Structure formats: structure tokens, C-alpha cells
Amino acid sequence: MKIHVDKVGSVTRNLQVGRTVHLTDEVRCEEGAVIAVRIHGEKSVYNQLEDVNGRLVTLHAGDIVVGALGHRNALHGYEGVVPASVTVGDKLNILNMGGVIGKCTSHNPGVGPPFEAEVLGQVLTFPEFQSRAGQHAHISTGALKGTARAVTCPVVYVVGTCMNAGKTYAASVVVRKLSQAGYRVGGAKLTGVSLMRDTLSMQDSGADVVMDFTDAGVVCTGARTASKVARIVFSEMAAQEVDVIVAETGDGIMGEYGVQAILADPELKALGGAFILCANDPVGAAGGVRHLREVYGIEMDMVAGPATDNAVGVRFVEQVVGLPARNARADPNALGNLIVEKLAPKLGAGRKS
């Protein structure tokens, strides 16, 4: 069956899906399977979809949307799973703005119940020229595979106590300062649920190369995929000869997206040229720094995020936690300069013209 679709979620971007797609009634129920759904109902909050260009478009009842099956475990959003089976006519849910589709099992009151999405079928691709034999579409098609290039450049890891802790803002500030200092910068999002917004923010801030886990064929990371994805992304960036990588980990250091696997990986940890913790409050700052030191042997170089929003938080971090406190919004230059100075012995002079 051939249909015209209204909107295409950014989670499918590896496939370059057009507005006219062919569907099959046989849906392969697996994470990453690309399907078409019809939206039911209207929402006034959390009612947008990020398209393959990173543009946010509003969803309405009756819209036909292309997305991908996946799970989500978001404290401030939706929790959802890939169901045991999927057939045409089933009612699933839109779990995030990137177009991840699954069965919602719980939601945060702030975002309201998710959109209901009626399954229309799985998208078919036709990779063989002039062949009418379609293949079940999956976001792993066209995904990054990694290179043999050794990763020798330093990585700035930006981790947080939770989602919405200011990680992307801090990462973007660091990217901008490193770029202004003359370095070729890679901006990476290593964990989370598929969305281009954060890497696009890094790109807008001056990153020469941006990549995330969906570029590596993953809808939503977890303990089994996070380290592998990080290696793929870092090796691909090394092949593009970046001088430094700024890597944000989605969600928190105690979340369910596999951040712990990256922090515990000796090879990935050894690449760390600087470590930034973004914390929502003083308790998170103190507990996060202690947890990272005791569990992973990682010493933070700085605390950022809402915990440093004014002098009260800054004073606590510097006097009680014993680390520099730098706020990405109030004093981005101080935050960026601290990291540039920290990395200077490893990076040397910038090479951009």
C-alpha cells in the first residue's frame, strides 16, 4: 500500500524517508522498526514533532506520521516500551518529540497523557535499483558503523544529575569557546532517546562535526548499547580529524540510558580531558560529585547547571563541595575559559584559520 504522510520524525533520518511511502501489513516488532501511524486526539502541551531537519511541527488529529518503535524511560516525560507484538490497527503512543513510538506505561503530569497513534503498517525501503521487492525499514539502515581510526583527542564529558539539568547549555558554551580558540570541535550526544535538538545546539555554537546515538542506528540507549555507541561516534569523529570532542550524556548519572556503562568503561574514561557535572540543586551537586568519585574514580573539574544559578549555590559548591562553580547562562565566558585552560596542555595552539 502506498500512502502520503504528513510528518516524518527525526528518529528516521538515517533512511531519508520521503512524504510518499510504501507500507506492509507485516510489522516486525523490534526497536528501530520504522512504521506509519495516524494521530488520534489533540494536545495543548508536548504536542510537537521534530522533523528530519530539526524543525518542530505541531501534531494534530488525523496526521499520518512516520516514526520508529522504541522505548523511553524519562523522569520528566514518558515511560514506554516496545510491546510484545504490533499489528495494523493497534493503538500505541508517541513517546517523544523525535517520533519514537511505543506503549506508554507511565507519564509525568507536566506533559499530560501522550498522543494515541494507530498503527497503519511498517514502511518498506527499496535499496536495490529497479527492484520491487521491498525491505522492512529500520533506522540501522545507513547508520554509522565506526572506523578503525584511533581516538587520541581529548573528550570533555558533560554529565548531569537528571534530565533538564543544563547539560546541553553547558556543552554548547564549551563548544563555542573551544571553536573560538581555534580548535576543530566535535559535538556528541552519547545517550538518551532520539532527538536532534541537542546536537543542533552544539552545531549552532560552532561544532564542526555533530553526531549522536541515532546516527549509529540506536533509538534509545541502555546499558547494552551506550559504550558501543560512544566508540562508534568517537571513532567517526576522529576520522574527521577533530581536535577535541564535547560529549553530552543524556539523562542522569543514575538514569536508565546507559550513562553508567560509559563512566565505568576504562578506555572511554581515559579519553576524558575534562569532566563537568550539571546539577539541579546543592544536594545533587554534592551527592553527584561524591558518587562519581567513589563509584567511578572520576574527579569533576567543575559544577554547572541550576545549582549555580545564583551566589547561594555558587558559594555552596565552592565552599562545601570544593569545586569551581560556573553558570552557563550567567557567566558563559568563565565556564568556557576554565575548560579551554584545562585542555590547553593537551591541545596546544588552535589550528583554525
Side-chain angles (χ1 to χ4, degrees):
M1 175 175 67
K2 183 166 72 173
I3 65 168
H4 177 81
V5 302
D6 299 295
K7 285 140 188 174
V8 180
S10 62
V11 66
T12 71
R13 63 186 181 272
N14 293 340
L15 281 76
Q16 299 181 346
V17 175
R19 295 290 293 276
T20 300
V21 300
H22 291 79
L23 300 182
T24 174
D25 289 346
E26 180 192 352
V27 179
R28 293 182 179 173
C29 187
E30 57 185 2
E31 188 141 326
V34 177
I35 65 173
V37 297
R38 179 179 286 109
I39 300 298
H40 288 257
E42 297 279 348
K43 278 172 58 71
S44 59
V45 296
Y46 211 87
N47 61 349
Q48 292 182 305
L49 180 81
E50 181 189 77
D51 69 14
V52 293
N53 298 308
R55 178 173 170 264
L56 289 177
V57 294
T58 301
L59 294 176
H60 296 288
D63 281 348
I64 295 178
V65 174
V66 172
L69 291 175
H71 73 282
R72 190 182 183 192
N73 303 99
L75 176 64
H76 297 299
Y78 300 120
E79 178 184 33
V81 299
V82 177
S85 64
V86 176
T87 59
V88 171
D90 284 352
K91 301 293 179 58
L92 299 179
N93 303 107
I94 304 295
L95 297 179
N96 90 320
M97 290 190 293
V100 178
I101 301 167
K103 192 68 176 178
C104 183
T105 55
S106 66
H107 70 273
N108 187 292
V111 296
F115 273 117
E116 192 174 73
E118 177 190 353
V119 177
L120 301 179
Q122 183 162 357
V123 174
L124 292 174
T125 60
F126 299 86
E128 296 183 14
F129 181 65
Q130 290 187 334
S131 173
R132 295 186 178 183
Q135 297 182 7
H136 288 71
H138 192 281
I139 70 159
S140 60
T141 300
L144 301 174
K145 303 300 182 185
T147 73
R149 185 70 174 264
V151 183
T152 58
C153 65
V155 176
V156 180
Y157 285 105
V158 183
V159 301
T161 54
C162 187
M163 63 187 297
N164 300 331
K167 298 184 295 295
T168 302
Y169 208 98
S172 297
V173 165
V174 174
V175 166
R176 183 162 57 250
K177 272 296 175 182
L178 287 167
S179 179
Q180 290 172 347
Y183 302 112
R184 181 169 169 80
V185 184
K189 179 73 177 287
L190 301 181
T191 61
V193 63
S194 186
L195 198 67
M196 295 170 63
R197 179 181 59 194
D198 297 344
T199 51
L200 288 177
S201 176
M202 292 188 225
Q203 186 177 60
D204 289 345
S205 297
D208 297 275
V209 183
V210 294
M211 298 176 187
D212 73 0
F213 51 90
T214 298
D215 295 317
V218 175
V219 174
C220 184
T221 58
R224 293 184 301 169
T225 58
S227 294
K228 178 182 178 181
V229 162
R231 283 182 166 80
I232 290 173
V233 168
F234 288 169
S235 71
E236 292 278 357
M237 286 190 165
Q240 297 201 35
E241 298 185 339
V242 298
D243 298 313
V244 57
I245 297 170
V246 179
E248 176 189 347
T249 60
D251 196 36
I253 55 176
M254 294 183 178
E256 299 183 13
Y257 290 132
V259 179
Q260 300 93 324
I262 293 174
L263 297 174
D265 188 301
E267 292 182 11
L268 295 176
K269 187 165 57 175
L271 294 174
F275 293 88
I276 301 172
L277 173 67
C278 293
N280 296 82
D281 55 43
V283 175
V289 168
R290 179 176 177 178
H291 179 76
L292 289 160
R293 177 186 298 128
E294 293 181 350
V295 177
Y296 303 105
I298 298 174
E299 294 291 341
M300 291 291 109
D301 293 292
M302 175 201 308
V303 173
T308 66
D309 274 353
N310 69 6
V312 176
V314 170
R315 191 162 56 244
F316 175 87
V317 170
E318 297 191 338
Q319 295 181 2
V320 178
V321 182
L323 286 176
R326 301 289 186 269
N327 190 271
R329 296 180 184 274
D331 198 352
N333 286 331
L335 189 158
N337 287 338
L338 190 153
I339 298 302
V340 172
E341 292 168 8
K342 167 80 176 177
L343 296 177
K346 296 184 178 182
L347 292 175
R351 64 179 181 177
K352 285 185 179 177
S353 59

